[in-house]
Amino acid sequence: MAALRLLIHAPGAPGLRWFGLGPGLRPTRGLWKLQRLFNKHAFWAQGRTMAQLRRLLAGSTVVVSLWQGKRLVGFGRASSDGIYRAVLWDVVVAGDLHGQGLGRRVVEALLATPALLGVERIYLMTTNSAGFYEQLGFRAAEPQVLLVKQAASRPQRDGGSSA
Ligand SMILES: CC(C)(COP(=O)(O)OP(=O)(O)OC[C@H]1O[C@@H](n2cnc3c(N)ncnc32)[C@H](O)[C@@H]1OP(=O)(O)O)[C@@H](O)C(=O)NCCC(=O)NCCS
C-alpha cells in the first residue's frame, strides 16, 4: 500500500484549483479526482462541475486533502473568521478505506490549522456521521436549531450547498 500523505493547501487551494496539483506539487488531475471522490462517496456533493469545484475551493479558508500515492482518498475543508466562528464542510473518505482513522486525520488536520485553532465555536452539519464527530469532541447543538434557505434553483456558477 502506497504511503498516505496529507496536504494542507494554501487558502483557496490555488495549486489544486488551477493545476490539479497533488503531493509534491505534481500535477495529478487533482480537481477531476476531487469531483470523482465527491460523486462516489459524498451523497450531498454529487454532480458538481469543475467550475463549481474551483469556486468552492477559492471560497474556502482551509482545504485538506489526503492522498495514497496519486489517489485522492480523503478531503475536507472549512470556512473561518479566525476567532469566533468556523464551519467544517465536505469531509469525506473513500469508501474502501473507511474505519482506518483517515477521517479522523482529515478533521484533526483541519482543526489544527491556524485559521481554526482557538476559534470559539466550530460548527458542522451531518446526516449520518454524528458518532464520528462526537469522537472528535463535537456535541449536538440543542437547543439550537439549524435553519436553511435553499437557492430557488442550483446556481450554475456557484458551488451550491453541502451537507
Ligand atoms: C464520516 C467519515 C468521514 C469517517 O471517516 P473514517 O475514515 O471512516 O473514520 P475514522 O476511521 O477516522 O473513524 C474515527 C472514529 O469514528 C468512528 N466512526 C466513523 N464513522 C462513524 C459513524 N458514521 N458513526 C459513528 N462512529 C463513526 C470510528 O469507529 C472511529 O472510532 P475508533 O477511533 O474508536 O475506532 C467517512 O465514513 C465518510 O467519508 N463517510 C461518507 C461521507 C460522510 O458521510 N461524511 C460526513 C459528512 S458531514
Side-chain angles (χ1 to χ4, degrees), residues 14-155:
L16 177 62
R17 175 158 45 101
W18 290 117
F19 307 112
L21 300 188
L25 295 179
R26 282 191 297 275
T28 65
R29 302 178 70 210
L31 201 62
W32 178 81
K33 290 175 181 174
L34 179 60
Q35 185 183 48
R36 200 174 57 167
L37 185 75
F38 280 170
N39 282 342
K40 286 180 78 171
H41 303 290
F43 65 87
W44 66 92
Q46 292 166 343
R48 295 178 178 178
T49 67
M50 301 291 246
Q52 289 169 339
L53 293 178
R54 279 199 189 91
R55 182 136 181 193
L56 169 159
L57 291 172
S60 299
T61 316
V62 185
V63 176
V64 165
S65 60
L66 187 63
W67 300 77
Q68 186 184 52
K70 290 182 176 177
R71 182 184 175 205
L72 178 62
V73 296
F75 180 85
R77 65 186 184 98
S79 319
S80 175
D81 62 20
I83 177 162
Y84 291 117
R85 297 291 184 265
V87 189
L88 304 190
W89 304 107
D90 294 333
V91 173
V92 58
V93 168
D96 59 310
L97 296 174
H98 283 182
Q100 298 182 33
L102 305 192
R104 174 188 290 272
R105 220 169 134 180
V106 167
V107 173
E108 286 181 343
L110 286 169
L111 298 178
T113 57
L116 271 76
L117 205 59
V119 165
E120 185 181 65
R121 280 191 173 202
I122 301 177
Y123 294 84
L124 64 90
M125 279 140 265
T126 182
T127 307
N128 50 24
S129 301
F132 166 68
Y133 289 105
E134 280 166 7
Q135 300 226 359
L136 289 158
F138 289 83
R139 295 289 173 261
E142 290 157 16
Q144 291 182 321
V145 176
L146 175 68
L147 302 182
V148 178
K149 186 174 190 317
Q150 198 82 29
S153 61
R154 182 191 287 264

Side-chain angles (χ1 to χ4, degrees), residues 3-14:
L4 287 166
R5 278 190 73 176
L6 185 123
L7 302 188
I8 299 171
H9 298 264

